[in-house]
Each structure stands twice: as structure tokens, then as C-alpha cells.
Amino acid sequence: MSNMRPDLGQFLTRTFKTIEQHRVALFVILSLVPIGLAFGYTGQYGVTVAWWDDFDGRIPLFQKYFAHQLEWQDFFRQHNEHRIVFPRMVFLLLGLLTKMSNRVELFLIVILFLGNFVLIFLEFQRRADWKQRILWLLPVLFMVLNQRQGETLLWSFTLSLVMTLSFVLAAFFALHQLNRPLTRRRRRCFAVLSVACATGASFSAAMGLLVWPILVVQLLLSSAEKGEKGSLLRWLLVIGVVEWIIYFHGYVQPAYHPSTMFIFLHPIQFASYFFTCLGGVLLPKETALPTGIVAVTLFGISAWFLRREKAYAENGFYVSVALYSLATAFMVSVGRAGSGSEQALASRYTSFTLYFYIAVYLLLLEVVLRKRHALLWVGLGAVLAVMTLSTAMAYGQGGQAGLDYQTSRERMAYYLTHYRLVSDDDLRMLFADVRQVRAGADFLEKRQLNAFAVKAPELATLAPLDIEPLTVIDRNSFKITDRAVWIESWAVDPKWKGAGGGMWVKVNGELYAALYGIARPDVAQYLGGSDYEFSGFLAIVPRSVLKPGENQVEVYLLSHDKKGYFRHAFTYRWPE
């Protein structure tokens, strides 16, 4: 035993030396984990279906395009409180290339998140000892791809918000290059690039307008020469004011938004919403509120130390990112605080506020390595703990949240493709204005776009299997409405002993695709296995297909490996 202790010590020493010598390689290898999980998350749980903002923000664009009536005003037209000019251009281009598939846009969201991290990495890399610090950057990558922002990762329309964020970070990064000893030509290029990215942010979402005042602050704190600083400052002010005027020309306050006077009428509730929104990287609400307060306090402490060290200029990028996250949380609070603090926890807001923690973390890391003050180490540990806990909770809960999202969106896609047969109440799952849903669905069907472009496997191409699926179909499985017959039950693969891969229903010789994979925990409990849970199905067929008397109903269950199908026949008498 006594001989093992030196061996263990030598082993640990060698291990730490190896890590020190191969920090960069280790960072690259470990980085593949969050990147793979992010792409896997969107690939597994993303569903192609038009939902909510698509019906008044995206589909009208395609309707006008195919009618040869598309004009500049259609890109500039207000959507809620936003002017999503550049996102609409991307939506149109990708939609034409992919038949409005949401999956490509979801993968683009992940790519843009990775682009944001690259900007942070490039700024981090400017330090002479960046290779020795590189592993400190790993929590940042996990945070950038945090599944707490599940709504952003799975709802393609949030691409407009992600584009805004990417434009903003690029604007800050480009302006920050003026602190470097560059040639005059390159300095002008970076200045123009910063203004161009700020313009892109301004016309991607309302919070993009906040980039201008923060760019002014960043420029004032920079180490640029006085003459250059003054000239660029005038340009920033002029262009920023002009774009604000253009943005709000003809602007109409959305009627369903709470009053912006809420901040003055209910300041305590407003403050609660603001800090809850900022601390929304953690759930539940009781944790988010104090987290937001502590994070702001730590930002103040790091800013004070930076001021003492006269290090604002070299850390201007991080400071600007933190200020922008604060400003975004404030803007969201002004427009949404009247909706209640629970709404502050919406995951799409997390995509903006999590960068506040990233910026504070990197600022504290910078200050700690300069001063090594005990209070700063505590603050750095606190922010790192929040980031780690947020990431762990997100990955722990993200799978179930993604599955719930996928299940609800698949039902919506089924309702959308059967819009002629379902009721107005069913279509309100897709958008509040049912007439707009039906008009949009009719357009998508004619053009075979979005959910209508997703084709199920052809039954004729599959091999019949020699046994029946395990299922229960009786009179209780049928519901007759004015428009349709709803057939709802469950069926499982008897060979694999779990859920199958899809479903068709044939009624009196007419074949219809069914929605398969509905959660049936009762079936899983009855059959004694979790693999049986997602075995529920729903088939909606026209009522006209029924005839008085006996009706032949056949169920075709796609096998789990999707190589064949099981068949079950049932006779349904109507009316009784």
C-alpha cells in the first residue's frame, strides 16, 4: 500500500503535465460534445410546420412572391414591434431552396451560435497567454449552446432574433479592432464593417436598435486616437439617429402588448420582471430573481476593478456585450412586464441574457488574473457555478422539453395538413386568426411547401409482415364530426416489442396517413415497458368516406426498423 502512494502521485503529476502540454487539443476534443449535442438536439426534435408568427410574418411573403407582387415594403413591413428586413430575405431564400423546410433554418441557428462563439474566441485569443487559459473558455461554449434556449433551437422563426444577436456581436467585435495598431485602411474597413453589422441588427429585430448607443459607449472607452474617435463618433450618431427615424416611421404600437407606462405605474413589479428575465438562465422563478440581482452586482464589481486598472479599452468587447444584454433585458421588460414575471422566463429571451453571464465571467477572469483578489475569485466562482448549473439543468431537462415540443409540433403539422377536416378550435393551436391559418394552409398545399412537402414512405414499397400488430380498435376508437371521422387508439410492433415507425389507415379502400407516436403512458404501464409509450395514433379521414352499414377499416403499422408493415382489419358499422 505504501508503494502505491508515490505511484499515484506520479500518475497524477504526469496527467496534469499532459493536460498542460495539450490544452488546445483537449479543448478541441471537449468542444465536440456541446456542438454535437446542439446539432443532434435540433435534428432530433425539430419539426417542419408553420406556427404562429409564420402565418403573419413569413407565409404572406411567399404568397406575394409567387403572385409576382413582392415589393420592398413587404420586407420592411412591421411584424409585432419588429422590422425583420434581413431575416425575411433569408426566410425567402432558404424557403425557395428547401420548400420552406424548418430544419435548414434550425441548423443555421446553431451555426450562427457557433459564429458568436468564434468571435468570443478570437477576442480571447488576443491575450498572449491564451493557450494557458484555453480551458477556461469551455464553459462559454456550453453556455452559448445551452439547451435552456430550447425554443430558439427548435422554432425556426427565432432565426430573426439569432441574426440580430450575431449582427450585434459582430458590430462590437469590428469596432473593438480599433484598439489594435492597424493600418489606416484596415481601421476604416473595420469601422465600416461595424456600422454595416449594426444596420443589419437594427433591421432584424427591435432590440437591434440598442446596438447604436452601446457602440457610442464602446468607442468613447476605446484607445483610438482623438481625431479618429471624434470623426467616427459623428458618423455613429448620424447613422444611428437616421436608422431609428426610419425604423419608427409609420410604427404602430401592437394593441395586445402591455402598456409601456407599466414601468412608472408598477416599478417594483417591473424590477422583479427585469431581474427575473436576466436570471432566466436558471429555473424556477424563485432562483432566477436572485440570480439576476447577483449577476448585476458582480458586473458592477468587475467594472469598478477595470476602471481602477484602466483596462476598459482592452476589454471593451466584453463590456459592450454585457451592456447590450442588460439593455435587451430592460427593453423586454418595458414591453412585457405587464404580462407577469412568469413570462420573463420564456426561453427565447435566454438567447440574449446568457451572454451577460458570459461577458461577466470573462471580465472577472481577466481581472482575477491581474489582481488575484479573494473577492474576485469568489465572484468568478459564483458566475462559473451559475453557468455550470444552468448547463447541467438544461441538459437534464432539455430532452423532455424537446420531446414535448416535438410531440406538440407533430400534432400541429397533422392538423395543418388536414385543415379542411379539423375544427377552428383545433387550428387555433397554429395561430389565433383561423381564417389566416386556412388561407395559409391552402397556399402551402397548392405549392407543396412546409408540412405539405414532408412525404411519408409509400406503403406499396414496403413488405407485408406475417403477423398482426398488437392493438385495440373498437367503436370507442371512432369519433364522428360534421367534417371528419377521427380514429384514435394505439398499436405496437409485436416483434420489436415497442412502438412502430409510422401508421396508415385504410377506410373502404381509401388509404390515409395517420399521426403516429402520441404518448400513451397507460399503454406502457399495461404492457410493462417504456418502449411502448409513444405508440398512440390519430387518423382523420373525410366523413364522406363512410357509408351506411358495414365499413372496412384496416390499420397498417410500419415496423420499428421501417422495412415492413403489420396489418390489422376491423369492421365498423355506421350508424349504430
Side-chain angles (χ1 to χ4, degrees):
M1 292 293 292
S2 59
N3 293 332
M4 291 180 63
R5 291 184 179 179
D7 293 342
L8 178 60
Q10 292 174 6
F11 171 76
L12 292 175
T13 300
R14 287 196 302 268
T15 300
F16 284 123
K17 282 185 177 180
T18 303
I19 292 175
E20 288 179 1
Q21 293 170 357
H22 301 89
R23 287 188 184 96
V24 176
L26 181 61
F27 173 80
V28 172
I29 294 171
L30 294 177
S31 296
L32 297 177
V33 175
I35 294 173
L37 289 173
F39 280 110
Y41 190 76
T42 56
Q44 181 174 357
Y45 299 121
V47 178
T48 293
V49 58
W51 182 72
W52 219 258
D53 294 70
D54 289 316
F55 285 97
D56 62 349
R58 184 180 350 202
I59 292 177
L61 199 69
F62 286 85
Q63 290 172 322
K64 289 203 170 187
Y65 173 83
F66 284 106
H68 305 289
Q69 298 173 348
L70 191 61
E71 299 176 348
W72 159 249
Q73 291 86 344
D74 296 310
F75 291 97
F76 188 73
R77 184 170 287 112
Q78 183 179 339
H79 175 70
N80 295 333
E81 68 268 42
H82 307 293
R83 305 263 190 204
I84 54 174
V85 178
F86 295 106
R88 278 188 171 121
M89 293 179 180
V90 175
F91 287 147
L92 182 61
L93 177 61
L94 291 181
L96 293 174
L97 293 174
T98 66
K99 294 187 176 182
M100 288 185 70
S101 170
N102 296 150
R103 290 185 177 274
V104 174
E105 294 159 349
L106 295 178
F107 287 131
L108 179 57
I109 287 173
V110 177
I111 291 171
L112 288 177
F113 279 150
L114 289 175
N116 295 344
F117 174 76
V118 168
L119 293 178
I120 295 171
F121 174 79
L122 291 175
E123 171 57 24
F124 188 86
Q125 195 183 30
R126 290 181 57 214
R127 275 62 179 174
D129 59 345
W130 70 272
K131 290 185 179 180
Q132 285 70 41
R133 300 189 193 184
I134 187 67
L135 294 179
W136 285 95
L137 206 56
L138 195 61
V140 174
L141 179 57
F142 274 95
M143 198 69 171
V144 167
L145 300 174
N146 195 323
Q147 290 181 9
R148 170 69 180 89
Q149 50 189 339
E151 188 176 8
T152 305
L153 290 168
L154 296 176
W155 182 20
S156 64
F157 200 85
T158 59
L159 177 62
S160 61
L161 301 180
V162 179
M163 285 180 62
T164 304
L165 185 58
S166 295
F167 276 131
V168 166
L169 265 63
F172 292 156
F173 181 82
L175 187 66
H176 187 60
Q177 304 313 301
L178 300 184
N179 293 294
R180 298 169 57 192
L182 302 173
T183 64
R184 184 167 184 162
R185 182 178 179 182
R186 292 191 67 186
R187 298 175 76 83
R188 285 182 176 177
C189 289
F190 277 119
V192 171
L193 179 61
S194 180
V195 171
C197 291
T199 300
S202 299
F203 295 102
S204 293
M207 53 277 292
L209 293 169
L210 299 172
V211 70
W212 296 102
I214 297 173
L215 279 175
V216 169
V217 173
Q218 183 180 356
L219 180 62
L220 293 174
L221 295 176
S222 73
S223 60
E225 294 181 0
K226 187 175 181 180
E228 180 186 37
K229 187 181 294 188
S231 176
L232 184 54
L233 180 61
R234 286 190 293 271
W235 277 109
L236 286 177
L237 291 173
V238 170
I239 297 174
V241 169
V242 169
E243 292 193 8
W244 273 66
I245 292 172
I246 293 173
Y247 190 98
F248 285 104
H249 178 70
Y251 181 87
V252 178
Q253 173 71 18
Y256 54 88
H257 282 192
S259 172
T260 54
M261 296 300 293
F262 188 88
I263 183 175
F264 303 107
L265 299 175
H266 306 282
I268 296 178
Q269 292 91 324
F270 175 85
S272 174
Y273 186 101
F274 171 76
F275 286 112
T276 300
C277 180
L278 196 62
V281 294
L282 288 179
L283 289 173
K285 173 188 171 183
E286 291 75 18
T287 308
L289 179 61
T291 299
I293 295 174
V294 171
V296 172
T297 303
L298 291 174
F299 175 60
I301 293 173
S302 61
W304 183 77
F305 272 95
L306 286 174
R307 181 176 178 274
R308 282 187 56 185
E309 294 294 310
K310 297 181 180 180
Y312 272 133
E314 60 189 277
N315 293 284
F317 176 69
Y318 300 147
V319 173
S320 297
V321 172
L323 290 175
Y324 178 75
S325 294
L326 285 174
T328 302
F330 185 84
M331 174 183 272
V332 170
S333 301
V334 170
R336 299 289 195 275
S339 301
S341 56
E342 289 292 337
Q343 199 266 348
L345 297 173
S347 63
R348 60 184 177 275
Y349 301 150
T350 308
S351 299
F352 288 88
T353 57
L354 63 82
Y355 284 88
F356 180 72
Y357 294 86
I358 291 172
V360 173
Y361 168 75
L362 293 173
L363 286 172
L364 284 171
L365 179 62
E366 181 69 24
V367 175
V368 160
L369 295 177
R370 285 171 174 264
K371 299 296 292 183
R372 301 189 180 277
H373 193 285
L375 177 62
L376 296 174
W377 276 109
V378 172
L380 179 63
V383 177
L384 182 59
V386 169
M387 294 169 64
T388 304
L389 185 59
S390 174
T391 301
M393 291 174 62
Y395 283 117
Q397 302 171 2
Q400 185 59 50
L403 187 59
D404 293 342
Y405 189 95
Q406 179 189 35
T407 302
S408 67
R409 291 301 184 271
E410 286 178 345
R411 180 176 286 266
M412 290 177 191
Y414 193 72
Y415 286 172
L416 179 64
T417 54
H418 292 74
Y419 69 100
R420 289 189 175 91
L421 303 178
V422 299
S423 68
D424 289 352
D425 287 339
D426 294 320
L427 290 181
R428 285 193 181 94
M429 291 179 64
L430 295 158
F431 189 57
D433 188 340
V434 175
R435 289 181 299 178
Q436 201 161 354
V437 173
R438 292 192 183 278
D442 183 67
F443 166 77
L444 295 175
E445 183 181 33
K446 288 178 179 176
R447 293 288 175 178
Q448 289 296 290
L449 301 173
N450 199 251
F452 293 92
V454 179
K455 303 300 181 183
E458 292 290 339
L459 185 63
T461 63
L462 301 171
L465 300 173
D466 56 359
I467 58 176
E468 292 193 1
L470 182 59
T471 183
V472 174
I473 302 178
D474 53 27
R475 297 199 59 84
N476 295 325
S477 304
F478 291 75
K479 183 180 73 171
I480 312 297
T481 69
D482 294 338
R483 298 177 177 177
V485 180
W486 292 52
I487 307 172
E488 195 163 8
S489 187
W490 58 272
V492 299
D493 184 330
K495 287 188 174 181
W496 188 73
K497 300 187 185 305
M503 172 76 74
W504 296 267
V505 172
K506 183 182 286 187
V507 180
N508 294 330
E510 297 290 333
L511 188 67
Y512 302 92
L515 171 64
Y516 187 80
I518 299 172
R520 291 294 301 264
D522 57 324
V523 175
Q525 183 177 7
Y526 174 72
L527 296 178
S530 59
D531 291 335
Y532 293 109
E533 180 171 357
F534 295 96
S535 59
F537 71 85
L538 167 65
I540 303 176
V541 304
R543 179 170 173 170
S544 58
V545 77
L546 286 183
K547 62 182 182 180
E550 292 187 348
N551 294 268
Q552 298 302 314
V553 180
E554 298 170 78
V555 171
Y556 297 88
L557 176 67
L558 183 64
S559 62
H560 180 77
D561 59 12
K562 299 185 179 181
K563 294 181 179 179
Y565 64 85
F566 307 95
R567 176 183 172 276
H568 173 77
F570 173 77
T571 300
Y572 175 67
R573 179 175 292 276
W574 180 79
E576 295 184 9

